Amino acid sequence: MTLLIPTLNEFSGVSQIMPHVQREWVDQILFVDGGSTDGTIELVKSMNYEILIQKKKGIRYAYIEALDHIRGDAILTFSPDGNSIPSIIPPLIQKFNEGYDMVIASRYLGDAKSEDDDIITAFGNWLFTSLINHLHGGTYTDAMVMYRIYRKNLLYELDINKDSSYQTEEKLFRTVVGCEPLISIRAAKRKLKFAEIPADEPKRIGNERKLKIIRWGCAYMYEVFREKFFWS
Ligand SMILES: Nc1nc2c(ncn2[C@@H]2O[C@H](COP(=O)(O)OP(=O)(O)OP(=O)(O)O)[C@@H](O)[C@H]2O)c(=O)[nH]1
Ligand SMILES: [Mg+2]
């Protein structure tokens, strides 16, 4: 099990959150940094964590460039900005070990709630999750969140690692998107075995958000419909 932690200027998040992550929960903790200039890289190194510096820009490349360095056969993606509650790592792993391809820490299952959402992100997450369920046969309550575990091989089986899977939308809207929506879509299309556990999302710590609402909204919308007709 590899805990994969992407960072881009998350100094305060990393310093406040990582003391709550116990190293023995997982086999490997790997940071991938997108070019922080606020001391995050130095901080992570001083805490004795393994860190990889991204070559290409964009959150998707954090995952792709990490692949060769991931030693576990499962990946737990974790945001150190306060959005992912560390104490949920053990139950998430426990659920995954019951034999799932993917387990999601859902912000909208049962009593769980997001304190990080504003009206736009709440609507967007609901809209994309509903579309993915209706168009691709998913049963997600949260198809968008980063906090989740899956088999490492799933990224290859679903072509998540290939640039061609995102080419059109990234060109059209001049951005680099995240991997999560496509993972959710293709896992549903393949009818993989997935589960969710409820997980609150506290407000992010420090700095501004990196989410690009308009460009990503458009790109994900394109992706959700494109997948109805292509890739199987
Ligand atoms: N390596 C890397 N990490 C990134 C990049 N963009 C964002 N991140 C990190 O990924 C983690 C999750 O970010 P998100 O939660 O998706 O985005 P956010 O900016 O926190 O937006 P909100 O959570 O909606 O406030 C954070 O630790 C970010 O610093 C990137 O291009 N490269
Ligand atoms: Mg965040």
Side-chain angles (χ1 to χ4, degrees):
M1 176 72 54
T2 295
L3 188 65
L4 182 66
I5 310 185
T7 50
L8 183 55
N9 297 323
E10 298 293 356
F11 188 95
S12 12
V14 169
S15 48
Q16 288 181 52
I17 294 297
M18 290 316 289
H20 300 282
V21 175
Q22 291 177 29
R23 293 182 196 241
E24 58 273 19
W25 284 344
V26 292
D27 306 300
Q28 180 190 17
I29 298 180
L30 177 63
F31 279 80
V32 190
D33 191 273
S36 296
T37 51
D38 69 340
T40 301
I41 300 175
E42 295 72 17
L43 174 69
V44 169
K45 285 182 179 164
S46 75
M47 293 169 120
N48 272 320
Y49 289 113
E50 197 178 332
I51 185 166
L52 187 77
I53 312 295
Q54 257 176 265
K55 297 197 176 72
K56 290 192 185 170
K57 279 208 182 320
I59 182 73
R60 185 163 73 73
Y61 290 109
Y63 291 40
I64 289 171
E65 292 179 18
L67 277 173
D68 285 342
H69 302 263
I70 290 173
R71 295 189 293 273
D73 42 23
I75 306 174
L76 200 176
T77 45
F78 179 84
S79 180
D81 64 355
N83 288 157
S84 311
I85 300 177
S87 61
I88 291 174
I89 293 174
L92 204 51
I93 294 175
Q94 196 181 0
K95 189 79 191 171
F96 178 77
N97 286 339
E98 287 173 20
Y100 291 96
D101 295 301
M102 174 162 70
V103 179
I104 294 180
S106 170
R107 297 164 289 185
Y108 311 112
L109 179 66
D111 292 338
K113 57 195 172 312
S114 171
E115 281 152 14
D116 199 53
D117 267 339
D118 54 35
I119 189 130
I120 296 172
T121 59
F123 175 71
N125 288 330
W126 169 82
L127 178 68
F128 286 116
T129 299
S130 309
L131 282 170
I132 290 171
N133 289 342
H134 283 108
L135 292 169
H136 303 294
T139 52
Y140 300 105
T141 61
D142 190 350
M144 306 301 280
V145 74
M146 156 191 240
Y147 203 7
R148 56 175 79 192
I149 307 188
Y150 40 80
R151 290 186 292 105
K152 178 184 174 184
N153 275 340
L154 187 142
L155 295 182
Y156 300 102
E157 292 161 17
L158 305 180
D159 293 331
I160 301 301
N161 59 325
K162 291 189 184 156
D163 280 343
S164 56
S165 298
Y166 314 83
Q167 222 160 33
T168 324
E169 55 270 37
E170 290 190 345
K171 269 208 180 118
L172 270 173
F173 302 106
R174 281 188 252 118
T175 184
V176 177
V177 294
C179 299
E180 279 77 16
L182 198 59
I183 295 175
S184 299
I185 291 170
R186 292 185 174 175
K189 287 170 84 169
R190 283 276 166 89
K191 304 209 179 313
L192 297 186
K193 203 172 164 215
F194 100 101
E196 291 179 325
I197 63 170
D200 288 342
E201 179 184 49
K203 272 197 188 317
R204 83 171 347 275
I205 297 167
N207 268 309
E208 83 294 5
R209 66 160 33 131
K210 282 113 205 164
L211 194 84
K212 296 171 193 71
I213 305 255
I214 311 258
R215 281 166 197 253
W216 284 17
C218 295
Y220 290 149
M221 192 56 84
Y222 179 92
E223 203 168 81
V224 165
F225 283 95
R226 186 265 326 275
E227 286 290 309
K228 189 69 198 157
F229 307 103
F230 301 101
W231 198 87
S232 59

